[in-house]
């Protein structure tokens, strides 16, 4: 028993001695590595070319082209005018001829300036819708060169014209339709009695009419198309029914404007007598800033006189017209202006000898087929 107690005490003292020893000291941690200095590098050179500047909007390009064309015409610079049209520009001068390339266009203008050495023009009204511009203009000149074998007479010539032009995205003219009184110009060159007077050039800036997004513009285009239905009905009363009592209408080869219902009735009676079977086809129609404008063609038989031109009984096809109208608030014709080339009709009825090639036109090609719709 005693020996057991002594053994237990010995074990207890031994364990106590072991638990009281200090742990061995730990070595200090290594110092942190020095910071890495950044290595300076040259960024790569960007060789990507800068993007091209945005193309100006067509609304910005067209006024510049219009001004440049006007200035070049009045300076008789055919080469400059050619830079303002596309390579395949198509110009239809109805009743006179047509051109289909930039070269033909420039050659034609060069000839024109040779025939009329002091030709000048100024715009009266300009109508713009999208990439299409209608210019009503006045021109005047002196016949200083020989035309169609006719010796220069140095007679004053001129009149009013309408040009309908379409532009591409670069602001260049790609197609143009022209309406003018060729018969009147011929009479002026010959100094005939009764030739139309040569108008004075306007001195004020032209009226500008620009179409926006107003839905009334489409209504105007639809309204003017109904006029063709009325004329195609062979009934002058149908046209008079859509005419205001105090309406006025002027036609570029017809002398003074018709004014009032009495004169409108007489004029329409004569017109329907001349072409009792007339039929009209709309090519283009626009509503622009309160005006309704239509390009259209007429087919019919000339069974009555047209002014001094006697009846021939001959058919007339694709006679090109453009009409500009202003309606009243209740949808009747208030004011109207019509443009066509009487020569286009005369060439088909025998009143004007038609030899296929029109030497009186710069392009030398007859204009017959209507241009395609835009």
């Amino acid at each position: 028993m005693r020996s057991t107690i002594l053994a237990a005490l010995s074990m207890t003292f031994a364990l106590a001695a072991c638990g009281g020893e200090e742990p061995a000291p730990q070595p200090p941690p290594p110092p942190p590595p020095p910071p890495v200095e950044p290595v300076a590098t040259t960024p790569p050179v960007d060789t990507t070319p800068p993007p091209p500047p945005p193309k100006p909007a067509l609304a910005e390009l067209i006024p510049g082209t219009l001004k440049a064309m006007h200035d070049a015409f009045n300076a008789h610079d055919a080469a400059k005018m050619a830079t303002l049209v596309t390579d395949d520009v198509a110009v239809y001068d109805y009743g006179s001829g047509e051109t289909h390339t930039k070269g033909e266009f420039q050659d034609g203008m060069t000839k024109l300036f040779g025939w009329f050495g002091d030709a000048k023009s100024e715009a009266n009204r300009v109508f713009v819708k999208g990439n299409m511009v209608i210019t009503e203009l006045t021109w005047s000149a002196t016949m200083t060169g020989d035309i169609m074998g006719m010796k220069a007479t140095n007679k004053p010539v001129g009149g009013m014209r309408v040009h309908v032009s379409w532009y591409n995205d670069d602001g260049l003219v790609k197609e143009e339709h022209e309406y003018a009184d060729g018969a009147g110009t011929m009479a002026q060159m010959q100094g005939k009695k009764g030739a139309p007077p040569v108008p004075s050039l306007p001195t004020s800036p032209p009226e500008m009419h620009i179409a926006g997004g107003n839905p009334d513009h489409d209504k105007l285009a639809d309204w003017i198309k109904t006029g063709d239905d009325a004329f195609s009905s062979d009934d002058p009363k149908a046209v008079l029914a859509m005419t205001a009592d105090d309406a006025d209408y002027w036609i570029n080869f017809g002398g003074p404007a018709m004014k009032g219902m009495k004169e409108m009735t007489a004029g329409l009676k004569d017109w329907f007598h001349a072409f009792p079977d007339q039929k009209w086809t709309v090519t283009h129609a626009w509503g622009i800033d309160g005006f309704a404008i239509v390009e259209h063609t007429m087919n019919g038989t000339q069974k009555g006189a047209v002014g001094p031109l006697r009846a021939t009984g001959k058919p007339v096809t694709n006679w090109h017209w453009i009409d500009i109208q202003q309606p009243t608030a209740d949808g009747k014709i208030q004011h109207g202006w019509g443009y066509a080339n009487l020569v286009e009709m005369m060439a088909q009825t025998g009143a004007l000898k038609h030899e296929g090639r029109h030497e009186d036109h710069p392009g030398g090609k007859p204009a017959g087929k209507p241009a395609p719709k835009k």
Side-chain angles (χ1 to χ4, degrees):
M1 175 79 176
R2 182 180 178 184
S3 59
T4 302
I5 294 172
L6 290 173
L9 288 172
S10 299
M11 183 61 68
T12 300
F13 286 126
L15 290 173
C18 291
E21 292 181 1
E22 294 282 339
Q26 296 294 321
V36 178
E37 295 292 334
V39 179
T41 58
T42 303
V45 178
D46 184 2
T47 58
T48 305
K55 182 183 292 187
L58 197 54
E60 300 174 22
L61 294 171
I62 288 177
T65 302
L66 283 169
K67 183 180 186 309
M69 188 71 80
H70 162 269
D71 292 347
F73 180 90
N74 284 346
H76 293 194
D77 190 343
K80 175 62 177 178
M81 294 180 71
T83 67
L84 303 171
V85 303
T86 61
D87 291 340
D88 59 349
V89 63
V91 179
Y92 300 87
D93 188 351
Y94 293 122
S96 294
E98 59 192 58
T99 59
H100 290 276
T101 68
K102 183 194 292 281
E104 288 181 354
F105 173 81
Q106 180 174 341
D107 180 60
M109 296 313 302
T110 299
K111 289 180 179 178
L112 180 71
F113 297 140
W115 299 335
F116 305 108
D118 58 351
K120 293 283 189 286
S121 74
E122 296 292 342
N124 306 323
R125 295 185 290 187
V126 178
F127 303 87
V128 182
K129 187 165 188 176
N131 73 330
M132 186 280 307
V133 177
I134 299 170
T135 306
E136 182 188 59
L137 59 89
T138 302
W139 76 285
S140 65
T142 306
M143 184 194 178
T144 56
D146 301 347
I147 304 176
M148 297 175 60
M150 178 183 176
K151 295 295 183 181
T153 62
N154 292 309
K155 297 288 186 181
V157 300
M160 291 178 63
R161 303 175 60 93
V162 170
H163 295 177
V164 185
S165 310
W166 284 267
Y167 292 76
N168 70 4
D169 291 341
D170 295 318
L172 301 178
V173 178
K174 63 180 181 179
E175 185 167 329
E176 185 163 278
H177 303 169
E178 300 182 2
Y179 301 83
D181 179 17
T185 302
M186 291 170 63
Q188 291 169 341
M189 291 189 299
Q190 295 166 355
K192 285 187 174 181
K193 183 179 180 180
V198 177
S200 300
L201 297 182
T203 57
S204 301
E207 293 180 19
M208 295 296 299
H209 301 281
I210 300 175
N214 191 329
D216 288 344
H217 291 155
D218 292 334
K219 293 178 182 178
L220 283 169
D222 292 337
W223 171 79
I224 199 168
K225 291 177 185 178
T226 64
D228 277 15
D229 296 334
F231 273 93
S232 297
S233 70
D234 303 333
D235 181 7
K237 292 181 181 179
V239 181
L240 289 170
M242 58 182 300
T243 304
D245 291 341
D246 57 348
D248 56 80
Y249 218 104
W250 174 82
I251 297 174
N252 66 325
F253 60 79
M258 298 175 287
K259 295 182 179 181
M261 187 57 70
K262 182 177 180 180
E263 291 185 7
M264 292 287 289
T265 300
L268 285 169
K269 181 181 177 181
D270 290 344
W271 178 252
F272 276 88
H273 179 70
F275 293 97
D277 60 348
Q278 62 191 277
K279 293 292 180 280
W280 291 80
T281 302
V282 174
T283 308
H284 303 101
W286 305 274
I288 302 175
D289 195 25
F291 291 84
I293 305 172
V294 62
E295 275 193 304
H296 45 180
T297 59
M298 190 208 77
N299 292 350
T301 307
Q302 194 214 348
K303 295 184 178 181
V306 177
L309 302 175
R310 62 180 178 81
T312 63
K314 297 287 183 66
V316 176
T317 61
N318 287 328
W319 189 6
H320 296 82
W321 285 72
I322 187 167
D323 284 274
I324 304 170
Q325 297 178 3
Q326 277 185 302
T328 61
D330 58 350
K332 293 189 175 184
I333 300 169
Q334 182 67 73
H335 306 293
W337 301 264
Y339 289 85
N341 192 349
L342 194 60
V343 169
E344 190 174 22
M345 185 210 81
M346 294 166 64
Q348 299 181 62
T349 61
L352 177 74
K353 187 177 181 181
H354 188 286
E355 299 182 358
R357 178 176 174 86
H358 284 227
E359 297 295 342
D360 59 322
H361 183 267
K365 300 177 183 178
K369 296 181 181 180
K373 292 186 178 182
K374 295 295 170 192

